[in-house]
Amino acid sequence: MKIVMVMAMSADGRIARGERELIDWTSKEDKRHFVGVTKRARVVIVGRKTFETFPKPLPERLNVVMTRNPAAIHTSDEVWPTDRSPLEVTQELTRRGFREAALIGGATVNGLFLEAGLVDEIDLTIEPKLFGMGIPLITSTNVDILLTLASVERLNENTINLRYSVRRN
């Protein structure tokens, strides 16, 4: 299974100002890009805190919610709350016939999947904003990963999208 981390961040490397912030600060071009990538994958993997910022589950995609307490999240055809490890989640998605998943945050879940060596690509939109403080791209103490730049795309006059492949040793 291919795992693509899909994130937008400020020019100073923050994916949000705070834990409860909606991603309403990104450009319409980034939002369009995000929808295209995640609908193509048909699965999004998200942490509980990030999921709780959504007004509703992302439609036309399976929303896998990583949480320590799956019973606290309503399960439906579109929502699979789980306390399984990143490897177990990936194996289950493969068993269900999925070939790709979009890892959409937050920082802790991003770090867990990177630490487990499960991320194949990073699709990163850089928005022309500075937050000064906030949530970083990943929260992890055990990653040292080399990336290869696969593409650079200008989404609008001030916003760029970078796509990286994760280099395997």
Side-chain angles (χ1 to χ4, degrees), residues 23-36:
I23 302 295
D24 61 354
W25 54 269
T26 63
S27 62
K28 66 181 178 188
E29 293 84 1
D30 171 65
K31 287 175 179 58
R32 188 173 23 252
H33 175 78
F34 175 86
V35 168

Side-chain angles (χ1 to χ4, degrees), residues 73 93 106 109 130 134:
I73 296 175
L93 290 171
V109 172
L130 298 173

Side-chain angles (χ1 to χ4, degrees), residues 37-159:
V37 171
T38 60
K39 280 190 175 180
R40 183 188 73 228
R42 299 180 27 238
V43 177
V44 294
I45 301 170
V46 62
R48 178 193 52 82
K49 290 177 189 174
T50 302
F51 183 72
E52 288 175 352
T53 68
F54 298 174
K56 62 182 181 178
L58 298 179
E60 301 174 42
R61 288 153 276 194
L62 175 61
N63 292 246
V64 179
V65 184
M66 305 288 289
T67 179
R68 289 186 189 99
N69 186 8
I73 296 175
H74 178 70
T75 303
S76 70
D77 289 342
E78 291 182 322
V79 179
W80 172 36
T82 181
D83 59 359
R84 295 184 189 180
S85 72
L87 179 59
E88 292 169 322
V89 167
T90 302
Q91 290 170 336
E92 175 61 19
L93 290 171
T94 299
R95 188 191 69 71
R96 292 185 186 191
F98 293 102
R99 295 186 178 169
E100 184 174 343
L103 177 64
I104 62 170
T108 301
V109 172
N110 290 345
L112 290 171
F113 274 80
L114 284 164
E115 284 179 4
L118 297 171
V119 177
D120 299 292
E121 294 180 4
I122 298 175
D123 185 309
L124 189 61
T125 297
I126 312 293
E127 291 286 0
K129 294 189 178 271
L130 298 173
F131 292 158
M133 44 192 321
I135 300 173
L137 182 65
I138 61 170
T139 301
S140 178
T141 57
N142 193 25
V143 291
D144 186 6
I145 298 169
L146 294 173
L147 306 173
T148 299
L149 183 63
S151 68
V152 177
E153 179 184 358
R154 191 176 201 133
L155 297 183
N156 64 34
E157 185 177 309
N158 297 304
T159 303

